[in-house]
Amino acid sequence: MRLPQHHALLWILSLNRALCSVPRQVTWSDKQFGPDGPWQAVTVSMGSNYTELVVPSSEVALYPGGSWESRILLSSICDNKTLSSVCYGDIAGLFDSDISVTLDNTSIETAPDGNWGDLSWGYTDAVPVYARATRAIDWMTIDGSAVPEVDLITIAGGWQTYPGGQAYPLEVGILSLGSPDINQTFGAVIKINATFITSYFYDQSGSLEIPSYSYGMHIGSAPLGIPGSLLLGGYDQNRVMGDVSAQAFSSGSFPIELFDLGIGVAEGGSPWNYSNKSGLLAQGNSSLASGLRVIVDPANPYLYLPQSACDALAAELPVTYQPDYGLYFWNTSDPQFDAIVTSPSYLAFRFGKNNLNNEYITIKAPFALLNLTLQAPLVETPTQYFPCMATNSTPALGRAFLQAAFVGVNWFGGKWFLAQAPGPDGSFIVDTVTIGDNDSTISGSTNSWEDTWQNTWKVLATRSTNSTTSNTSTPQPTTSSTPTKTNNVLSPVVKIGIIIGSTVGGVLIISLLSALCIRRRRQRRDTAIRDQNQISETQMHQGPGSLTHQLVPVEAPDSIWDQRNELHSQERYEMGAERGPFFELEPGKGGGREAVFELPGRMSGVSLNVI
Ligand SMILES: *[C@@H]1O[C@H](CO)[C@@H](O)[C@H](O)[C@H]1NC(C)=O
Ligand SMILES: *[C@@H]1O[C@H](CO)[C@@H](O)[C@H](O)[C@H]1NC(C)=O
Ligand SMILES: *[C@@H]1O[C@H](CO)[C@@H](O)[C@H](O)[C@H]1NC(C)=O
Ligand SMILES: *[C@@H]1O[C@H](CO)[C@@H](O)[C@H](O)[C@H]1NC(C)=O
Ligand SMILES: *[C@@H]1O[C@H](CO)[C@@H](O)[C@H](O)[C@H]1NC(C)=O
Ligand SMILES: *[C@@H]1O[C@H](CO)[C@@H](O)[C@H](O)[C@H]1NC(C)=O
Ligand SMILES: *[C@@H]1O[C@H](CO)[C@@H](O)[C@H](O)[C@H]1NC(C)=O
Ligand SMILES: *[C@@H]1O[C@H](CO)[C@@H](O)[C@H](O)[C@H]1NC(C)=O
Ligand SMILES: *[C@@H]1O[C@H](CO)[C@@H](O)[C@H](O)[C@H]1NC(C)=O
Ligand SMILES: *[C@@H]1O[C@H](CO)[C@@H](O)[C@H](O)[C@H]1NC(C)=O
Ligand SMILES: *[C@@H]1O[C@H](CO)[C@@H](O)[C@H](O)[C@H]1NC(C)=O
Ligand SMILES: *[C@@H]1O[C@H](CO)[C@@H](O)[C@H](O)[C@H]1NC(C)=O
């Protein structure tokens, strides 16, 4: 809040931020989105309706965490009333591209080019999307900071088809948070650069200048009151509980080896006649005992696993399979349902840690988070479902999983990060930690995960049978439930700013802060720098307040990033193996030289008739 008495202080802090390189917090929409959540999303403004000042033309909510192109639904998506008389896309907002004066949907000649075709949506195709889509670039404004030439696929019409064959409208688009490259470059002769909000904020001087081309995210849960967290250039350490696994990404995707699925109870009695059960991944197919490579995919909602694994999980739960949806409905009248989703019961995902196959990290997703709701238009009345969907193609863990997990990436550090995220009773005071330029690891908090659920779950009485709970998983009473904040003081830079700001004039402050920040930027360390500035965090929520730089993109001088991009922007033709058909390059096209464009694997796998 911009309280008057804090005005001077906030002004100094905003200057400090404008000049220094700190992670930026992204504001989440206060609405919830479906039709299979409820999920949380972030709000951005698309396009512009006035060239000089670039006034955003449409506000839309997007599910964050995609890579390469953002997927933006256009107003025309609701024109076809055959599919649905209700415009579900209106809930999140649609982009009225006719108003935007900066939209360019003709310069990039790579498919999708405005014709109908299969459109990839994240990294799995268990619910295929068919759409009339076009590559485009346009401005995107996020928390008041505008980014030009954002890499987009605009969708003028389309639907998703569930396993039973029924088509449903698309409701919410996807916000890309980068790729291994600064830009996606199209065209053989004239190169068109399409950029990403994260790379732009990092790379372009005069923009927000986040400390690294990275982000840290926990999508949280609306019904359980876990707010979403998304920081660009850093992460909130309170969202990273304990061990972190860091592993290589592949093109824009986040693969990891899943070694097992299990069921456990953190504390007290069990709703089952056992206290824990492992081996569920391979129970119905022993060849999965050696592990299954899955992709963690914020762009998709469910847990996409082999049929045998979904069946093994379902056999332990009061659910019934629904072939129309390929999902399982909870039997809410079975007393075991309440016991499972209100008790400390969880689904355990055991992964190989740090790309190793002899070290493990287990993410626990409490069943409370897996009591999700299908809504219209998928079903007539809201229906509780368990989000396992069988797939023969790429196995993936979508938002259902990410409610319980922290995900982050440092695109130039070469690694993506996975860790346990807190429950509803965690600390949602943002403890900002910077991700350094080339960092390939991040560190978590030592707070107890069990404590972050303690007030929410109802511990069952221990039965006098064999189903006693294990002592090993009970919360350690030594861990305080209030997060330990040892470094919670203002940084010297800010302290100096405050002292001086209360005595002398603005010019001196600016030059002093500039000097400090320049030195700080030069000193960029490999290790994470804690940003202890809690006050500025609160204000960041209101918007980045970078008075001078907002909406004024500055042409970047030649920088080291241009050189670095050279390394990345060599011709790459990464054809997705699982999805097709893919672009095929016609030799000789483009004046003897093959068209140069970067094809981001499955993400851009849009079927196209070879020209
Ligand atoms: C331009 O955008 C502003 C702010 O979103 C809106 O109020 C205005 O109506 C728009 N103008 C036109 C011509 O669409
Ligand atoms: C409208 O949607 C229906 C059903 O999804 C589809 O068959 C039809 O081709 C669409 N019409 C147009 C003009 O897009
Ligand atoms: C490009 O955008 C304009 C304005 O929204 C639209 O009328 C046109 O159909 C689009 N072209 C393609 C190929 O999508
Ligand atoms: C795209 O970026 C490259 C540098 O990476 C530059 O050479 C080229 O001119 C840019 N293209 C446009 C259209 O700005
Ligand atoms: C546990 O419950 C299952 C059915 O839910 C039953 O088949 C099994 O025999 C039980 N095991 C024991 C040890 O009671
Ligand atoms: C799982 O249950 C067995 C007994 O059924 C027990 O010995 C073991 O400690 C439990 N493991 C965990 C992690 O709770
Ligand atoms: C068992 O898993 C393997 C490896 O994923 C797969 O190739 C095979 O088709 C599966 N078998 C059955 C019967 O589903
Ligand atoms: C749901 O559970 C109730 C109570 O256990 C049972 O009577 C009913 O048959 C179950 N319904 C289905 C569809 O399994
Ligand atoms: C399951 O989720 C629904 C919707 O969020 C909620 O109303 C209901 O209370 C939940 N059920 C239990 C047993 O927690
Ligand atoms: C990050 O790596 C690049 C390329 O290896 C190097 O030029 C740069 O100095 C590194 N940055 C830091 C802060 O170490
Ligand atoms: C646990 O169950 C087994 C058989 O299922 C029985 O032999 C054993 O005595 C039981 N132990 C306890 C502590 O109840
Ligand atoms: C990325 O694209 C932007 C916009 O065209 C351009 O200004 C910038 O130089 C490009 N950066 C790189 C590293 O190619």
Side-chain angles (χ1 to χ4, degrees):
M1 283 292 131
R2 284 176 185 269
L3 301 172
Q5 61 265 41
H6 291 136
H7 218 94
L9 175 63
L10 291 179
W11 183 71
I12 292 160
L13 292 174
S14 70
L15 265 177
N16 180 39
R17 260 198 325 285
L19 299 167
C20 294
S21 186
V22 294
R24 299 296 161 143
Q25 232 175 294
V26 176
T27 305
W28 292 68
S29 167
D30 52 15
K31 288 196 245 167
Q32 313 173 5
F33 305 94
D36 44 19
W39 313 112
Q40 304 183 103
V42 301
T43 307
V44 306
S45 296
M46 289 304 307
S48 58
N49 62 5
Y50 187 62
T51 23
E52 296 298 314
L53 286 167
V54 193
V55 179
S57 63
S58 313
E59 203 164 80
V60 301
L62 301 172
Y63 292 135
S67 54
W68 300 101
E69 313 87 352
S70 290
R71 271 120 226 274
I72 306 294
L73 307 181
L74 302 179
S75 314
S76 56
I77 200 153
C78 287
D79 290 352
N80 186 346
K81 303 278 186 234
T82 318
L83 198 59
S84 168
S85 55
V86 179
C87 181
Y88 290 95
D90 272 347
I91 301 164
L94 297 167
F95 176 27
D96 188 351
S97 60
D98 292 343
I99 294 175
S100 181
V101 295
T102 43
L103 176 79
D104 177 354
N105 63 0
T106 51
S107 295
I108 301 174
E109 290 175 339
T110 309
D113 52 6
N115 293 313
W116 285 94
D118 293 331
L119 179 67
S120 67
W121 194 271
Y123 288 93
T124 181
D125 63 354
V127 180
V129 172
Y130 190 72
R132 190 161 70 78
T134 310
R135 275 182 196 277
I137 50 176
D138 200 352
W139 289 71
M140 183 187 280
T141 304
I142 186 154
D143 282 319
S145 299
V147 181
E149 294 167 1
V150 175
D151 195 358
L152 307 175
I153 287 179
T154 56
I155 297 159
W159 53 80
Q160 51 184 340
T161 306
Y162 271 72
Q166 181 67 40
Y168 297 98
L170 300 166
E171 291 192 25
V172 183
I174 305 294
L175 175 64
S176 164
L177 297 175
S179 80
D181 294 344
I182 286 270
N183 288 335
Q184 191 170 5
T185 304
F186 300 92
V189 184
I190 301 164
K191 290 193 169 26
I192 314 263
N193 297 309
T195 197
F196 316 105
I197 57 162
T198 34
S199 62
Y200 182 85
F201 289 153
Y202 169 67
D203 185 47
Q204 295 281 318
S205 54
S207 75
L208 294 180
E209 297 191 6
I210 56 175
S212 55
Y213 181 18
S214 67
Y215 72 88
M217 178 170 81
H218 174 211
I219 64 168
S221 160
L224 285 162
I226 310 173
S229 163
L230 174 58
L231 272 73
L232 310 181
Y235 63 103
D236 174 0
Q237 199 173 43
N238 280 331
R239 301 305 183 112
V240 185
M241 318 281 313
D243 282 2
V244 178
S245 179
Q247 50 278 310
F249 46 77
S250 165
S251 188
S253 75
F254 297 158
I256 191 167
E257 201 71 14
L258 177 65
F259 282 106
D260 199 9
L261 293 168
I263 284 172
V265 185
E267 188 188 351
S270 169
W272 297 274
N273 60 8
Y274 49 81
S275 70
N276 64 71
K277 190 169 227 174
S278 58
L280 293 174
L281 177 63
Q283 183 173 280
N285 182 346
S286 57
S287 65
L288 298 174
S290 56
L292 176 70
R293 194 176 156 91
V294 299
I295 286 176
V296 171
D297 184 6
N300 274 300
Y302 314 125
L303 314 171
Y304 306 86
L305 294 168
Q307 180 77 59
S308 63
C310 281
D311 287 347
L313 296 178
E316 307 298 321
L317 305 172
V319 295
T320 47
Y321 180 64
Q322 304 291 324
D324 283 353
Y325 304 97
L327 295 166
Y328 299 81
F329 289 178
W330 287 104
N331 180 353
T332 51
S333 51
D334 190 319
Q336 210 197 359
F337 166 71
D338 271 28
I340 290 172
V341 304
T342 60
S343 71
S345 315
Y346 57 79
L347 184 56
F349 297 80
R350 190 164 182 254
F351 298 102
K353 191 182 170 195
N354 300 334
N355 268 356
L356 300 170
N357 57 14
N358 56 0
E359 269 187 51
Y360 305 100
I361 182 169
T362 299
I363 306 293
K364 296 169 180 174
F367 282 103
L369 294 170
L370 303 176
N371 166 29
L372 290 163
T373 309
L374 291 186
Q375 291 168 292
L378 290 179
V379 289
E380 273 172 32
T381 51
T383 305
Q384 304 316 121
Y385 80 102
F386 175 70
C388 208
M389 179 177 270
T391 182
N392 291 323
S393 71
T394 318
L397 302 178
R399 290 189 291 274
F401 167 74
L402 287 169
Q403 297 177 101
F406 168 89
V407 65
V409 66
N410 187 4
W411 294 113
F412 284 165
K415 294 282 162 62
W416 73 276
F417 312 115
L418 180 69
Q420 181 74 52
D425 313 321
S427 169
F428 301 122
I429 298 164
V430 179
D431 189 1
T432 305
V433 178
T434 295
I435 297 177
D437 226 355
N438 298 337
D439 283 1
S440 56
T441 56
I442 61 169
S443 60
S445 80
T446 54
N447 300 337
S448 144
W449 172 74
E450 285 82 357
D451 281 355
T452 69
W453 281 95
Q454 206 65 241
N455 301 330
T456 302
W457 58 34
K458 297 192 187 80
V459 177
L460 298 174
T462 308
R463 286 180 210 160
S464 55
T465 64
N466 264 336
S467 54
T468 52
T469 55
S470 81
N471 294 327
T472 48
S473 60
T474 50
Q476 301 304 306
T478 47
T479 320
S480 136
S481 60
T482 48
T484 43
K485 295 215 175 278
T486 46
N487 276 324
N488 201 2
V489 288
L490 294 177
S491 71
V493 174
V494 177
K495 271 184 187 160
I496 293 165
I498 293 167
I499 294 160
I500 296 172
S502 57
T503 53
V504 295
V507 180
L508 181 58
I509 301 167
I510 293 168
S511 42
L512 181 70
L513 286 174
S514 312
L516 284 166
C517 294
I518 287 161
R519 194 180 310 157
R520 211 170 115 174
R521 285 178 71 80
R522 287 202 185 121
Q523 283 176 347
R524 273 183 189 181
R525 275 156 287 177
D526 286 321
T527 49
I529 306 160
R530 257 167 192 280
D531 177 55
Q532 299 98 344
N533 188 342
Q534 294 294 342
I535 299 167
S536 75
E537 286 308 330
T538 336
Q539 205 232 343
M540 251 180 235
H541 257 307
Q542 316 302 316
S546 44
L547 307 166
T548 46
H549 298 293
Q550 203 168 310
L551 310 177
V552 190
V554 178
E555 283 299 318
D558 287 343
S559 70
I560 57 160
W561 309 120
D562 295 327
Q563 296 160 23
R564 187 194 300 226
N565 195 59
E566 288 287 304
L567 298 172
H568 288 279
S569 59
Q570 280 141 15
E571 298 178 3
R572 51 164 83 189
Y573 307 113
E574 292 176 5
M575 299 297 176
E578 277 89 349
R579 268 182 67 83
F582 281 82
F583 302 116
E584 282 177 28
L585 299 172
E586 204 169 320
K589 226 184 158 239
R593 195 152 181 269
E594 289 180 349
V596 177
F597 57 85
E598 296 173 12
L599 196 55
R602 271 158 250 147
M603 197 63 182
S604 70
V606 178
S607 75
L608 166 81
N609 296 326
V610 176
I611 326 125

